[in-house]
Amino acid sequence: MLFPDSEEVLDKYKKIIEKEFGHHKGEILRYRIVKQAIKDFSNVSNNKEQIAEIMVFTVECGVDFTLSFGDIDQKFYHTIASIYEQALKHIVDNQLEDKFVGRWSKLGPIKREQGIYTSLLTGNCVQF
């Protein structure tokens, strides 16, 4: 069953993600659960903006986590950067840039040249 515009369903999956980032430094962050929540939400919603929302929300949680607890491990940064790249691609593919540009700037400036989006914060590039 698809839920095209359900804020309640979106909030349910955001709470799953938020709970994982609610752990304290030294506790295991279960990346699989974070990624699965995004995937599961994408399977029950056909609302492109809400799918982008859950990905951007996850990256914001990751940024807040590292700001609160300092340096994490390489797997953490790889996971967050991967979700960030997926979010950028999804946002651009679905022409949602105007809806998320303000939040992008909080995560790190994005530079676009010849169809290549580069996070100036992470150095990751996504080409469209």
Side-chain angles (χ1 to χ4, degrees), residues 1-15:
M1 172 181 262
L2 290 177
F3 299 93
D5 293 312
S6 176
E7 287 291 326
E8 185 177 309
V9 175
L10 175 62
D11 288 342
K12 172 187 168 186
Y13 285 95
K14 285 171 105 175
K15 285 179 184 171

Side-chain angles (χ1 to χ4, degrees), residues 15-102:
K15 285 179 184 171
I16 292 168
I17 292 165
E18 197 170 43
K19 181 179 176 187
E20 286 307 307
F21 286 104
H23 296 286
H24 300 286
K25 188 174 181 179
E27 293 184 29
I28 296 172
L29 182 61
R30 298 176 299 181
Y31 304 107
R32 181 181 49 79
I33 290 175
V34 171
K35 290 192 243 179
Q36 191 65 47
I38 295 169
K39 182 178 178 182
D40 289 350
F41 181 76
S42 298
N43 289 334
V44 300
S45 177
N46 59 1
N47 182 311
K48 303 296 184 190
E49 187 175 341
Q50 286 186 341
I51 293 169
E53 168 63 32
I54 198 161
M55 288 189 277
V56 171
F57 174 78
T58 302
V59 174
E60 289 170 336
C61 286
V63 169
D64 289 345
F65 188 82
T66 195
L67 290 174
S68 295
F69 299 110
D71 222 5
I72 315 297
D73 60 15
Q74 189 64 29
K75 185 175 182 180
F76 173 84
Y77 294 110
H78 176 74
T79 300
I80 296 303
S82 174
I83 294 168
Y84 187 67
E85 289 176 16
Q86 291 170 20
L88 280 173
K89 182 171 180 3
H90 179 82
I91 288 166
V92 171
D93 287 351
N94 292 285
Q95 301 174 340
L96 298 169
E97 296 94 336
D98 290 343
K99 297 184 184 286
F100 289 92
V101 71

